C-alpha cells in the first residue's frame, strides 16, 4: 500500500459514492489522482488527504460530512488499519504493518521499473537544450542546461513520454565566417580580426587543419574560406559532442540551422505563416504580427534588403518540429533569453498551435563556481571540460539538478569535493554504497533475500516505518518532477531517503549480533525481512540517481 494505490482507492470510492447518490457531484469533478500526503505528525497516521475540503463545498456538504461518507469505505480496504477524520475534514489513514512492509517486496520485484509511471503516456515531445554556437567550447553557462535538460528528459521518459533530445546547431550566418577568419589568422601567425575568436582552441584548430592539408596555407583567404568554414565547424562541433559525451548527455538529433535555409524551409515557413493570416508588409520588410498573441512588438521575418532575419530561422525551425510530429516543443534557454519567451509563444500561435499547450519555454538563471579558473584554451570562459576534470561528472550533475532552473546558484567546489555528509551527492551515494555493503555482509552471513523468509509485518520498528514511507513517496515524486520539469524534487527526496536509511541502519540490524561466546546466531524472520528493506532502498536510490544522470557506486 503506497500513495499511488491509496490515491487510486480514493478515486474509486468517490466515483462509487457519486453513482450511489451519496455525493452530488459530476464524475469529472473527481481528480484523476486525488492527493495523498504524509501528515506533519506521525501521530496523525501514515497518510492524509484533504479531498473532503477540496470537494465538499461543491457537493453542497460540510467537509466533515463529506469525509464521513468516504471514511468507512476507505476503512474496508485491505491493508488499512484505521481511518480518522480530523479538524475541518482531513482524512488520516493508518496502514497495518504488513501492508506498509510489503512495499519492500514490491520495490525489489519491480526493480528498475519502480518509480516509473504512465502519466505522460502518449506525449510526443521535442526537448531542445544547450544548442551552443559551434564556434567555441562549452562553458559554465551551458553546463546547467546540459545537466537539467538531460534530467528532465529522463524524468519525462520515466513518465511514459516519447522524448527526442535535440541540439540546434547555429551553423548559419556571419559567426561561422568570423570563426573561419580567426582560424585563418592563427594559421598565419596573426592576431584574430576585430570581433573574432581569440582563444587558444582556435590556434589548435588551425594547426589541425594545416596538418591535414598543408597546401591550404598557400591559398588566398577567399580560396580557402569554404574549406576553413566547413572543417573548423566540424572540429569544434566534434569537441562539443565529445564534451557532452563525457558529461553523460545524449542527443538524439543534431539539427542544422543551415539545412533550413539551404533546403527552402525558411521560404516555405514564410508562406505558411502568410496563409495563417498573421503577416504584413511595411517599409519594404515582411513582418509577423506577434502582438496579436502578447508579444511586445511585431517581428521582422524578411528585411528590406530581402535577407531573412534570425527570427525567420526560428519560425522555420518551429514548423519543422511541428512537421516532424512533435505536439509538444520544450525549449530550455539561458538567462539572457527572457525576451524570447513571448515571441516564441506568439510564433506558435501564429503557426496555428495552442501557445499554452504546444510550446513551453524554460529560462535558466546564471550559475557561478567559487574559485573556478578561466579556461587556458578559451581564455575568457570557464570551460565545461575543466569543470568535469576538477569536480567530476556526478558532483556537477547532482548539484546542478538540485536547484530549480529559475534560481541563481553558486557552486561551492570545496563542498562538492568533500567526502562528508555535508556534501549532498556524497551523502546520497554513500547511502547506496552502504546498502550494497550491507547486502554483501548479509550474503556472507547467510541472510539471503528469499520469498519464503519475508514477513512484511516484521518491519515495524519506527525507523522502518519512516524509511518505508519515504520509499513509498518516490513514484509520486518522480511524477511531479516530470510534470513540473523540476529534477530538484528527486534530488531532495533522495536526500530524505538517505537520511532515513542511515537512521535505520544505525538502529536496526540486518545480520544478527553474534552471541557472547562468539557463536553465530540463527537469523530470524526480522533479519531476512530487513534484508528485503535494505535492497529495496538500494533500488530506489539507484533509480533516483539514474534519473539525474548520476552513478550509484557499489563502494566508496
Amino acid at each position: 500500500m503506497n500513495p499511488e494505490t491509496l490515491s487510486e482507492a480514493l478515486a474509486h470510492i468517490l466515483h462509487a459514492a457519486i453513482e450511489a447518490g451519496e455525493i452530488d457531484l459530476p464524475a469529472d469533478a473527481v481528480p484523476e489522482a486525488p492527493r495523498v500526503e504524509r501528515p506533519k505528525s506521525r501521530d496523525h497516521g501514515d497518510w492524509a488527504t484533504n479531498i473532503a475540503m477540496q470537494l465538499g463545498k461543491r457537493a453542497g456538504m460540510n467537509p466533515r460530512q463529506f469525509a464521513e461518507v468516504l471514511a468507512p469505505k476507505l476503512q474496508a480496504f485491505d491493508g488499512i488499519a484505521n481511518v480518522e477524520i480530523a479538524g475541518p475534514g482531513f482524512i488520516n489513514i493508518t496502514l497495518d504493518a504488513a501492508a506498509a512492509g510489503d512495499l519492500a517486496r514490491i520495490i525489489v520485484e519491480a526493480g528498475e521499473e519502480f518509480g516509473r509511471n504512465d502519466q505522460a503516456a502518449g506525449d510526443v515531445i521535442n526537448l531542445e537544450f544547450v544548442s551552443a554556437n559551434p564556434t567555441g567550447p562549452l562553458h559554465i553557462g551551458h553546463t546547467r542546461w546540459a545537466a537539467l535538460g538531460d534530467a528532465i528528459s529522463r524524468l519525462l521518459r520515466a513518465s511514459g513520454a516519447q522524448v527526442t533530445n535535440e541540439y540546434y546547431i547555429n551553423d548559419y550566418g556571419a559567426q561561422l565566417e568570423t570563426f573561419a577568419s580567426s582560424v585563418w589568422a592563427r594559421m598565419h601567425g596573426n592576431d584574430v580580426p576585430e570581433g573574432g575568436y581569440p582563444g587558444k582552441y582556435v590556434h589548435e584548430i588551425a594547426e589541425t587543419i594545416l596538418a591535414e592539408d598543408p597546401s591550404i596555407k598557400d591559398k588566398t583567404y577567399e580560396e580557402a574560406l569554404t574549406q576553413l568554414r566547413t572543417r573548423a565547424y566540424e572540429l569544434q562541433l566534434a569537441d562539443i559532442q565529445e564534451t557532452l559525451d563525457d558529461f553523460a548527455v545524449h542527443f538524439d538529433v543534431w539539427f542544422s540551422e543551415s539545412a533550413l535555409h539551404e533546403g527552402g524551409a525558411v521560404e516555405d515557413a514564410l508562406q505558411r505563416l502568410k496563409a495563417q493570416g498573421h503577416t504584413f508588409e511595411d517599409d519594404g520588410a515582411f513582418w509577423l504580427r506577434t502582438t496579436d498573441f502578447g508579444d511586445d512588438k511585431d517581428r521582422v521575418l524578411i528585411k528590406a534588403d530581402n535577407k531573412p532575419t534570425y527570427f525567420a530561422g526560428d519560425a522555420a525551425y518551429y514548423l519543422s518540429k511541428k512537421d516532424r510530429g512533435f505536439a509538444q516543443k520544450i525549449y530550455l534557454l539561458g538567462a539572457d533569453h527572457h525576451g524570447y519567451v513571448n515571441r516564441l509563444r506568439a510564433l506558435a500561435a501564429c503557426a496555428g498551435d495552442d501557445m499554452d499547450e504546444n510550446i513551453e519555454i524554460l529560462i535558466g538563471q546564471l550559475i557561478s563556481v567559487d574559485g573556478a579558473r578561466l579556461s587556458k584554451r578559451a581564455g575568457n570562459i570557464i570551460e565545461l571540460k575543466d569543470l568535469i576534470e576538477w569536480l567530476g561528472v556526478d558532483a556537477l550533475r547532482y548539484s546542478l539538478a538540485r536547484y530549480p532552473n529559475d534560481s541563481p546558484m553558486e557552486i561551492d567546489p570545496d563542498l562538492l569535493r568533500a567526502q562528508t555528509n555535508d556534501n549532498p551527492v556524497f551523502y546520497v551515494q554513500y547511502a547506496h554504497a552502504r546498502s550494497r555493503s550491507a547486502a554483501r555482509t548479509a550474503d556472507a552471513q547467510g541472510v539471503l533475500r528469499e520469498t519464503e523468509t519475508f514477513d512484511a509485518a516484521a518491519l515495524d520498528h519506527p525507523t522502518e516505518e519512516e524509511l518505508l514511507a519515504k520509499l513509498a513517496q518516490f513514484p509520486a515524486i518522480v511524477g511531479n518532477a516530470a510534470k513540473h520539469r523540476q529534477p530538484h524534487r528527486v534530488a531532495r527526496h533522495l536526500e530524505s531517503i538517505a537520511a532515513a536509511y542511515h537512521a535505520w541502519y544505525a538502529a536496526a540490524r540486518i545480520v544478527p549480533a553474534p552471541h557472547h561466546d562468539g557463536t553465530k546466531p540463527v537469523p530470524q524472520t526480522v533479519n531476512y525481512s530487513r534484508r528485503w528493506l535494505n535492497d529495496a532502498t538500494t533500488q530506489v536510490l539507484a533509480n533516483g540517481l539514474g534519473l539525474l544522470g548520476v552513478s550509484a557506486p557499489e563502494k566508496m
Side-chain angles (χ1 to χ4, degrees), residues 272-313:
R272 291 168 65 179
L273 290 170
K274 185 176 181 178
Q276 290 286 338
H278 299 290
T279 60
F280 65 97
E281 294 186 37
D282 187 43
D283 290 335
F286 188 69
W287 299 68
L288 187 65
R289 191 177 285 108
T290 53
T291 53
D292 287 349
F293 300 101
D295 197 5
D296 60 331
K297 62 181 180 181
D298 295 324
R299 304 289 170 177
V300 178
L301 292 169
I302 301 293
K303 295 181 288 186
D305 62 4
N306 209 35
K307 292 182 179 179
T309 63
Y310 190 82
F311 189 63

Side-chain angles (χ1 to χ4, degrees), residues 326-338:
F326 297 111
Q328 290 179 260
K329 304 122 187 126
I330 303 177
Y331 292 75
L332 276 61
L333 304 178
D336 57 342
H337 284 69
H338 274 285

Side-chain angles (χ1 to χ4, degrees), residues 29-352:
V30 178
E32 184 176 338
R35 194 168 182 177
V36 176
E37 298 180 306
R38 293 280 285 167
K40 292 182 179 179
S41 170
R42 290 302 302 276
D43 293 337
H44 296 158
D46 296 309
W47 302 99
T49 179
N50 67 349
I51 193 69
M53 291 181 287
Q54 183 181 342
L55 298 179
K57 185 176 181 180
R58 186 172 177 182
M61 300 172 69
N62 178 290
R64 283 191 67 92
Q65 293 175 317
F66 192 100
E68 286 167 0
V69 174
L70 304 182
K73 301 179 188 297
L74 268 176
Q75 184 81 60
F77 268 78
D78 289 340
I80 294 179
N82 189 43
V83 178
E84 292 183 351
I85 302 169
F90 285 104
I91 300 175
N92 294 330
I93 304 164
T94 302
L95 306 181
D96 65 44
D102 196 48
L103 180 67
R105 177 190 58 78
I106 291 171
I107 292 171
V108 169
E109 292 180 351
E112 293 181 359
E113 293 300 308
F114 186 75
R116 293 181 174 272
N117 60 85
D118 59 1
Q119 69 173 16
D123 291 352
V124 181
I125 300 171
N126 180 284
L127 179 63
E128 184 211 330
F129 57 105
V130 183
S131 297
N133 288 343
T135 54
L138 295 179
H139 57 68
I140 187 173
H142 306 124
T143 304
R144 188 172 199 181
W145 275 135
L148 281 175
D150 189 63
I152 290 170
S153 174
R154 290 168 187 251
L155 285 165
L156 288 169
R157 286 170 173 159
S159 296
Q162 180 182 326
V163 184
T164 295
N165 290 356
E166 186 154 307
Y167 188 114
Y168 186 48
I169 311 169
N170 303 116
D171 56 358
Y172 180 84
Q175 77 271 10
L176 278 185
E177 187 164 340
T178 302
F179 188 37
S181 66
S182 300
V183 173
W184 175 260
R186 290 304 194 202
M187 188 178 289
H188 290 80
N190 300 325
D191 292 335
V192 300
E194 185 177 352
Y197 299 91
K200 183 181 177 183
Y201 71 95
V202 177
H203 182 74
E204 294 170 355
I205 289 173
E207 288 184 330
T208 299
I209 295 174
L210 190 56
E212 292 173 346
D213 181 11
S215 68
I216 193 172
K217 194 172 182 179
D218 300 324
K219 298 177 183 179
T220 66
Y221 174 66
E222 289 71 21
E223 292 172 334
L225 178 58
T226 299
Q227 182 180 348
L228 281 172
R229 275 179 57 115
T230 300
R231 192 64 186 127
Y233 154 73
E234 290 173 346
L235 289 168
Q236 189 51 56
L237 184 62
D239 178 79
I240 289 171
Q241 292 172 328
E242 179 185 349
T243 303
L244 289 169
D245 282 343
D246 291 343
F247 203 45
V249 175
H250 169 75
F251 284 93
D252 303 295
V253 174
W254 293 80
F255 193 98
S256 166
E257 180 188 3
S258 63
L260 291 172
H261 293 268
E262 295 165 3
V266 173
E267 291 81 359
D268 178 64
L270 300 181
Q271 293 305 313
R272 291 168 65 179
L273 290 170
K274 185 176 181 178
Q276 290 286 338
H278 299 290
T279 60
F280 65 97
E281 294 186 37
D282 187 43
D283 290 335
F286 188 69
W287 299 68
L288 187 65
R289 191 177 285 108
T290 53
T291 53
D292 287 349
F293 300 101
D295 197 5
D296 60 331
K297 62 181 180 181
D298 295 324
R299 304 289 170 177
V300 178
L301 292 169
I302 301 293
K303 295 181 288 186
D305 62 4
N306 209 35
K307 292 182 179 179
T309 63
Y310 190 82
F311 189 63
D314 287 340
Y317 184 42
Y318 182 86
L319 287 170
S320 167
K321 293 181 180 184
K322 184 176 180 178
D323 292 345
R324 285 182 282 144
F326 297 111
Q328 290 179 260
K329 304 122 187 126
I330 303 177
Y331 292 75
L332 276 61
L333 304 178
D336 57 342
H337 284 69
H338 274 285
Y340 280 69
V341 175
N342 287 338
R343 76 182 72 169
L344 285 175
R345 282 171 50 82
L347 170 60
C350 289

